[in-house]
Amino acid sequence: MDLLTNLAHGFAVVFQPINLMWSLVGVTLGTLIGVLPGIGPALTIALLLPVTTKMDPAAAFIIFGGVYYGAMYGGSTTAILINTPGESGSLVTAIDGNKMARKGRAPAALATAAIGSFVAGCIGTLLLAAFAPTMVEWAVKISPADYFALAILAFVSVSCLLGRSVLAGLLSLLMGVAIALVGIDGQSGQARYAFGEPSLMNGIGVVVVIVSLFAVAEALSLAADPKARSEEITPLKGRVLMTREDVRRSWKPWLRGAAIGFPFGALPAGGAEIPTFLSYSLERKLSDHPEEFGEGAIEGVAGPEAANNAAVAGVMAPLLALGLPTSATAAILLAAFQQYGLQPGPTLFSGDSTLVWSLIASLLLGNLMLLLLNLPMAGLWARLLYIPRPFLYAGILVFATLGVYGASRSLNDVIFMLVVGLMGFAMRRLDFPIAPMVVGLVLGPMAEQHFRRAMQISQDDWTVFFTSTPAGPLLALAAILAIAPPLIRRWRRRSAQTAPA
Amino acid sequence: MRLTARAGAGLFAAAVGVFFYAYSFDIRQPPSLSTLSGPRIFPQMTGLALAALGLLFAVNETLNPTAFPEEERPGPFDYKAFGLTLGSLVLFILLLPRLGFIIAETAMFGIVAMAFGARRPLQAFGVGLIVALIVYYVFTQWLGLRLPVGDVFRNEPLRGALNFFGWRP
């Protein structure tokens, strides 16, 4: 059994006392920061990047793995107790979770979310361990043209699946691609869009952009909108426990959520939002109490929360095996790998396989630690929600400036932060999705690299993208994804007009 | 039919696209690489796509404006809080090289806290100072990050005076 030997190698690294400690540090920091409203997993990792620059890669990735899962657990606490989901994956959790909390059922909601996350996280991570090597085997066989087509498919699906307008998503994505063009071109050594400015030669850092978009833009939009600042914290009373009845109603949604979440995350066209919505509507259909949905049904928390965590494990599969980020958080993890000079993809599995397997092992261990950390101590985490908001947002900006300045010790980066932050503010205010921009920023340069390599191989024959497989079918799928939703919407509108219900 | 802010954003994106396309000709094309594998092709594709989709979006928004659903629409614009938060970041950029990390962060923290409704200025700036001091010492002493002390403190007489009181910036 290759899988077991590989996992055993991973656990051998993770169980070293110092790494156990880093894992604990990671999950604690992740939960701590994830609970704070307005901070999701992507920003948490971006802020921690400068701190880990001097660590060895294995320790840093054990921390990031812990932070990633920890921020997810913390985020569901925020979603349930104050109805402000920190990231789009817990949007659905907030619907019934917050209703349950208002009815005094907060402990049961938190417990089903935590245990569901644990169950789905374990299943998802084991599936990741089982499928990633197969994906790698496939990945070594694909050509640069196929890779470019995959990147385009990821681009289109990230833009289409989030937000209300495909075009708005694509514009956000292309802006990210454009920002990444600034600086020295790695393949030819030519300066692009630097205008002789030395600080532009090195390009605009991914950390700078992410911190600007998620911290600065968030603070500016909350400052501008007093309505968004008003919130109501539902107090958490009693121990976080489930009754026998709660468990009976939760265990099937956990398993179904995990089954829906993982494949969606693992597809190069993935993301964590769709499976949470699917799980919610499936549970409503299967439930004996469909009338409770929207009013605090425990299945409506258990299923989507499990789907969310399984999808997050799934997203790691294309990230590790293909180097293809399909969410904002995956994009920042990819940037973290690159900071250590590591390029996720097939070569990472063959070259640094110990690192990959210790990351996967640390995800499993982190999951267990989180369960032990969250069930008895939920009350403690919930108390973090009572940090006075003026100090919370001032503190977020302190850590944002520290993260941006500390990474490069350059004041120019702080100025970029302000400019990109203002752009992010405008995007939030005008309802443009942010995640496609982050994916474009990180995946853009990789798409370019593969495009140009494909052109070199085919000697400038661009029809190779349409004539070779799987590149051609993948591009066709991307085109359908981009064009179909507006057409379907138009068709629905028309049929609604002709047959008013 | 009028130009909405979202349509304006589409025009902005289109302008950025035109800019990227126009300045792509400033990139030197190395003779060893063909046009399709050189450094210009991808910026040009990106620029053209931005220009075309930005324009399409602007037209689309003008004909059928998409708006927030009622419950998600932002409330009235709070210019004072927004201005203070933005101003505190500008002030941070100005103060960091001159007065150093601790003072710049304290000022920013205090102003942002006031913008978000802190009532007691002394408390807001006091908490800011404590946070800045903790962050400064943890990051410089434990994590080996170098943070600016401030040009003002490089002034010899002042440095002498501070040393006299036991502070060695």
Side-chain angles (χ1 to χ4, degrees), chain A residues 54 164 178 185 190 192-193 219 223-227 229 390 394 401-402 405 409 429-431 448 452 455-456 460, chain B residues 5-6 20 28 33-34 36-39 42-43 68 73-78 81 105 109 113 116 139 144 146 148:
Chain A
K54 297 205 166 127
R164 276 179 277 274
D185 166 38
Q190 299 303 318
R192 297 196 292 195
Y193 305 104
D225 186 2
K227 196 177 111 189
R229 291 207 295 269
T401 48
L402 176 76
Y405 183 85
R409 307 207 332 105
R429 195 82 192 171
L430 300 175
D431 196 25
E448 170 172 24
R452 285 161 66 182
M455 286 300 95
Q456 278 172 335
D460 284 5
Chain B
R6 259 164 84 81
F20 268 82
R28 209 177 71 82
L33 291 171
S34 66
L36 285 182
S37 59
F42 209 71
F68 278 105
R73 202 168 298 161
F77 201 105
D78 185 344
E105 290 288 16
F109 189 102
F116 276 92
F139 278 80
R146 279 170 54 210

Side-chain angles (χ1 to χ4, degrees), chain A residues 95-177:
Chain A
I95 305 172
D96 278 62
N98 190 247
K99 279 275 159 52
M100 281 180 77
R102 277 159 196 258
K103 290 183 176 164
R105 301 248 297 135
L110 288 175
T112 197
I115 302 173
S117 301
F118 170 76
V119 171
C122 286
I123 296 175
T125 312
L126 285 173
L127 287 174
L128 164 71
F131 280 115
T134 320
M135 223 164 173
V136 167
E137 267 169 45
W138 181 73
V140 281
K141 282 183 228 142
I142 67 172
S143 68
D146 300 329
Y147 192 96
F148 175 75
L150 264 181
I152 295 292
L153 179 62
F155 277 167
V156 172
S157 56
V158 170
S159 316
C160 297
L161 302 181
L162 300 170
R164 276 179 277 274
S165 151
V166 177
L167 271 176
L170 284 173
L171 288 180
S172 162
L173 174 101
L174 285 167
M175 285 300 242
V177 175

Side-chain angles (χ1 to χ4, degrees), chain A residues 319 323-325 329-339 342-344 442-443 446:
Chain A
L319 176 68
L324 205 70
T329 317
I332 184 75
L333 274 175
L334 183 72
F337 272 98
Q338 287 168 342
Q339 178 181 299
L342 301 165
Q343 186 58 52
V442 175
L443 196 50
M446 295 163 67

